[in-house]
Amino acid sequence: MIIKDKAIKYGSNVDTDVIIPARYLNTINEKELAAHCFEDLDKEFAEKVKESKIVVAADNFGCGSSREHAPLAIKASGVKLIIAKSYARIFFRNAINIGLPVIVNEQAADDISEGDTIEADLDKGEIKNISTGMVYLTKPFPEFIQTLISKGGYVNYVKDKFDKEN
Amino acid sequence: MGKTIAEKIISSHAGRDVKPNDITVVDVDVVMAQDGTGPLAVSQLKKMGFDKVKNPAKSIFFIDHASPSPRKELSNSHTVLREYAGNAGMVLSEVGEGVCHQILVESFVSPGDIVIGADSHTCTSGALGAFATGMGSTDIAVGFALAKTWLMVPPTIKVNFNNALAKGVYAKDLIIHLIGKITAEGATYKALEFSGSRSSKMSIEDRFTISNMAVEAGAKAGIFESDEVTKEYLNSIGRAALYKKIFADDDAVYEDIIDIDCSELEPMISKPHTVDNVSPVSMMEKVKVNQVLIGTCTNGRLSDLKIAADILKGRKVASGVRLLVVPASRKIYLDALESGIIKTLIESGAVVESPGCGPCVGVHQGALADNEVCLSTQNRNFKGRMGNPDSFIYLSSPATAAYSAVKGYIADVREIL
């Protein structure tokens, strides 16, 4: 799968309270969640994401609460990919489980500037910064996680497995 | 090669010997979600076609985050949980029973268990010698359905707390200090194992406070070995038969070992907007407070309320300050009533709220106004956490919080001890 889009850039410790504040956790409607995504961090996000659908951040992206509403809100807002130096572990699991691609790459996360055009090949683990010509290679996911992604997330994986066993 | 506590518990639930970074499927003993994360778990259960859960007696929905509900949308979420739990025979912890993490240790978790919960502070139960970790709603939905989950076995960092704490310094100051030292991501993907001469002398409530905040350093779990203190606690709540000795092997391999001399510590503060932005109170400029919160899954236990009441007895909350107190569970509330703690708190000017999460998560019972400052005993001070991105949250021990409520600014409780 190849994703090509422009980057929105954030710093370290982007926490779940700024991704989707708890005061909006009165719904599991993805569109309603998306309407408030990143609003306490970046009031321009809703405008930016119309043009730029790759979020690039530094360390510990998604730290804080276990709310799966955070990756859901990001995905429903139109973001196609996140590239960060590192993720908080619950956020990382949640993103994989709902099928939001999350890549770890320190160098790319450092180098990419807001507005750069990025092309990422998820199968090869290759990130190209079209704006600067730089290319970055990422470590592939462990096999089990690749299986989850290829099944389209955890719900489909379990459904598939459960149907076969019964 | 010896094993850490996390490796031992995971091995016993995987049915094979595991080592750090293995990915394995494990049986889980206790599974839970709360009213913020539960409705999405129900939706995922329905998508997967499950109307029953594998182990209903240890599958729990807690109504604690917006409890009682402040608005109809949240009330409707509560209905979703009540209906699913009713049909599946699950346990429902109702409005007023308390914060999920407190009820879990009071009634559900035993040493050696694996506990998964759709709440990041599920790590609290690690204080009983359990492997307890937070996950998202989809993971928890699968946990409810199958009583299994997948885990990557975390490498373990051992933290030795040595020597006694000085007067005015508490477990909360210790864990804030540790997070400041190793940062908010210092233990990401890893387990913290708390040990050292001080740990074995720590009360179970102090251990809950420390394990509760393991996730604020990014950790997957924060575990104490079980010992006489654990045994005594289980005995005190009528669960003595569930005691099991859980400990690391002498030759266990740790990724890192951190030694902390508790006697050197002072009362500590986490400043806005990250938990690892720490400072001793003595180094702080004068910060005026508008609201003080004593409670939550971090510090809403009987010993916390007693420390606060001892400081507030015969004193008054400063004019212009709102002091909110939230007992973590109904049992704690009753014990605090019977021992006169609640009366003392109310006489000092405190508002006592119903057991639950209270204003910590910003949906009810004390949202902050623009530019207001709150000093709280909770575990997290992220921007907007208490309902307003234009407010400021500082974290401290209950003693520092109580004394600051009297002074009207963040103050050093050692002045009166």
Side-chain angles (χ1 to χ4, degrees):
Chain A
M1 187 166 144
I2 293 172
I3 296 166
K4 188 175 171 187
D5 224 291
K6 282 186 185 168
I8 304 176
K9 182 108 186 231
Y10 296 127
S12 283
N13 297 318
V14 172
D15 63 65
T16 52
D17 277 288
V18 295
I19 296 172
I20 183 74
R23 59 185 183 275
Y24 301 123
L25 297 189
N26 49 29
T27 178
I28 55 172
N29 181 305
E30 294 172 12
K31 288 284 161 222
E32 283 178 45
L33 293 171
H36 300 290
C37 189
F38 289 119
E39 101 179 4
D40 286 355
L41 176 71
D42 178 6
K43 291 199 166 45
E44 311 295 312
F45 174 79
E47 213 34 55
K48 285 183 192 168
V49 76
K50 291 177 188 163
E51 299 290 322
S52 308
K53 294 185 169 46
I54 295 178
V55 169
V56 180
D59 282 310
N60 208 21
F61 188 90
C63 63
S65 117
S66 67
R67 65 189 69 148
E68 199 166 303
H69 309 70
L72 276 178
I74 294 174
K75 192 179 175 195
S77 73
V79 170
K80 294 176 185 160
L81 170 68
I82 304 177
I83 301 169
K85 287 189 183 184
S86 66
Y87 298 87
R89 52 162 284 277
I90 304 178
F91 179 90
F92 185 82
R93 270 186 92 109
N94 286 343
I96 299 286
N97 283 345
I98 64 158
L100 171 66
V102 280
I103 293 182
V104 180
N105 192 296
E106 288 216 12
Q107 200 58 49
D110 258 341
D111 292 353
I112 294 170
S113 304
E114 178 133 343
D116 284 356
T117 300
I118 307 299
E119 187 178 289
D121 183 328
L122 298 186
D123 302 321
K124 283 197 212 155
E126 190 180 85
I127 305 167
K128 269 189 218 157
N129 188 337
I130 306 282
S131 305
T132 64
M134 292 291 287
V135 177
Y136 310 90
L137 289 176
T138 60
K139 223 168 69 177
F141 288 123
E143 202 181 315
F144 179 75
I145 292 180
Q146 283 190 25
T147 311
L148 281 187
I149 295 170
S150 70
K151 295 274 180 198
Y154 202 23
V155 166
N156 289 343
Y157 171 83
V158 170
K159 252 172 95 171
D160 200 41
K161 211 166 151 61
F162 199 72
D163 288 346
K164 274 184 201 147
E165 282 173 12
N166 291 272
Chain B
M1 196 173 79
K3 288 189 165 55
T4 67
I5 296 178
E7 290 154 21
K8 278 184 161 179
I9 296 176
I10 295 173
S11 293
S12 75
H13 286 71
R16 67 185 178 94
D17 266 358
V18 298
K19 57 182 192 310
N21 302 316
D22 284 355
I23 290 181
T24 186
V25 173
V26 290
D27 294 329
V28 295
D29 301 290
V30 182
V31 187
M32 73 92 176
Q34 32 88 343
D35 48 337
T37 56
L40 185 52
V42 169
S43 156
Q44 300 297 60
L45 278 162
K46 288 180 177 166
K47 263 189 216 161
M48 290 182 285
F50 293 107
D51 52 8
K52 290 272 179 282
V53 299
K54 185 82 176 175
N55 183 7
K58 290 282 183 84
S59 297
I60 313 136
F61 281 137
F62 290 95
I63 298 182
D64 59 357
H65 276 59
S67 169
S69 166
R71 49 190 293 191
K72 65 179 181 180
E73 294 84 358
L74 293 163
S75 308
N76 289 334
S77 294
H78 293 172
T79 302
V80 169
L81 300 186
R82 288 188 185 106
E83 285 180 356
Y84 192 91
N87 292 333
M90 290 169 61
V91 182
L92 185 80
S93 183
E94 262 293 352
V95 172
E97 290 188 40
V99 190
C100 51
H101 308 301
Q102 181 58 23
I103 308 296
L104 282 173
V105 296
E106 284 179 8
S107 305
F108 293 96
V109 178
S110 309
D113 278 356
I114 290 186
V115 182
I116 60 172
D119 189 285
S120 60
H121 296 106
T122 302
C123 49
T124 311
S125 289
L128 292 179
F131 184 89
T133 192
M135 293 181 178
S137 300
T138 301
D139 274 316
I140 292 307
V142 175
F144 280 136
L146 308 177
K148 284 183 193 298
T149 193
W150 68 270
L151 290 172
M152 187 183 281
V153 181
T156 299
I157 299 173
K158 186 175 185 175
V159 181
N160 289 318
F161 293 127
N162 295 317
N163 305 324
L165 290 162
K167 220 171 191 184
V169 185
Y170 300 87
K172 181 62 166 289
D173 301 299
L174 201 50
I175 188 65
I176 289 177
H177 168 79
L178 176 68
I179 294 162
K181 190 179 161 85
I182 68 175
T183 80
E185 50 174 343
T188 298
Y189 299 110
K190 291 162 194 162
L192 292 174
E193 190 177 296
F194 301 111
S195 191
S197 62
R198 180 65 206 168
S199 294
S200 56
K201 293 190 184 74
M202 250 181 228
S203 73
I204 201 77
E205 298 202 337
D206 283 350
R207 294 179 192 184
F208 292 147
T209 299
I210 287 174
S211 290
N212 175 268
M213 289 187 69
V215 68
E216 305 309 331
K220 195 166 195 163
I223 313 175
F224 283 82
E225 71 171 39
S226 61
D227 58 10
E228 288 304 310
V229 174
T230 323
K231 195 174 182 177
E232 181 53 39
Y233 173 69
L234 289 171
N235 190 30
S236 75
I237 51 174
R239 301 171 65 223
L242 297 165
Y243 178 73
K244 217 187 300 172
K245 177 78 186 154
I246 302 293
F247 58 98
D249 291 331
D250 289 339
D251 57 345
V253 177
Y254 296 94
E255 187 179 277
D256 198 3
I257 297 178
I258 298 168
D259 291 301
I260 292 184
D261 182 352
C262 299
S263 68
E264 288 179 350
L265 297 189
E266 297 183 39
M268 299 294 290
I269 296 283
S270 290
K271 299 184 287 184
H273 294 287
T274 58
V275 183
D276 61 359
N277 184 16
V278 311
S279 165
V281 176
S282 62
M283 306 277 283
M284 301 264 302
E285 292 166 30
K286 194 166 178 175
V287 177
K288 283 187 69 172
V289 296
N290 305 98
Q291 180 166 298
V292 173
L293 168 62
I294 298 175
T296 79
C297 56
T298 319
N299 279 121
R301 301 188 179 85
L302 192 65
S303 59
D304 300 317
L305 303 186
K306 180 167 188 320
I307 287 166
D310 287 347
I311 290 164
L312 289 161
K313 194 163 183 72
R315 295 190 171 93
K316 291 278 178 210
V317 172
S319 154
V321 176
R322 309 178 296 271
L323 171 60
L324 311 179
V325 175
V326 191
S329 74
R330 176 174 280 152
K331 176 176 172 7
I332 293 166
Y333 196 2
L334 274 170
D335 289 346
L337 264 176
E338 277 170 20
S339 57
I341 289 171
I342 296 291
K343 184 164 184 279
T344 303
L345 294 171
I346 292 175
E347 281 172 349
S348 77
V351 177
V352 180
E353 300 184 345
S354 52
C357 299
C360 172
V361 76
V363 294
H364 69 334
Q365 295 181 334
L368 298 170
D370 291 351
N371 300 314
E372 279 197 331
V373 169
C374 180
L375 177 63
S376 173
T377 65
Q378 70 202 49
N379 41 38
R380 196 168 275 162
N381 59 349
F382 299 160
K383 195 177 183 194
R385 171 89 183 168
M386 297 180 85
N388 188 340
D390 297 317
S391 63
F392 302 88
I393 307 166
Y394 292 75
L395 310 179
S396 78
S397 73
T400 299
Y403 187 54
S404 301
V406 171
K407 300 298 277 187
Y409 55 89
I410 296 177
D412 194 329
V413 70
R414 293 174 299 179
E415 290 166 14
I416 51 158
L417 294 176

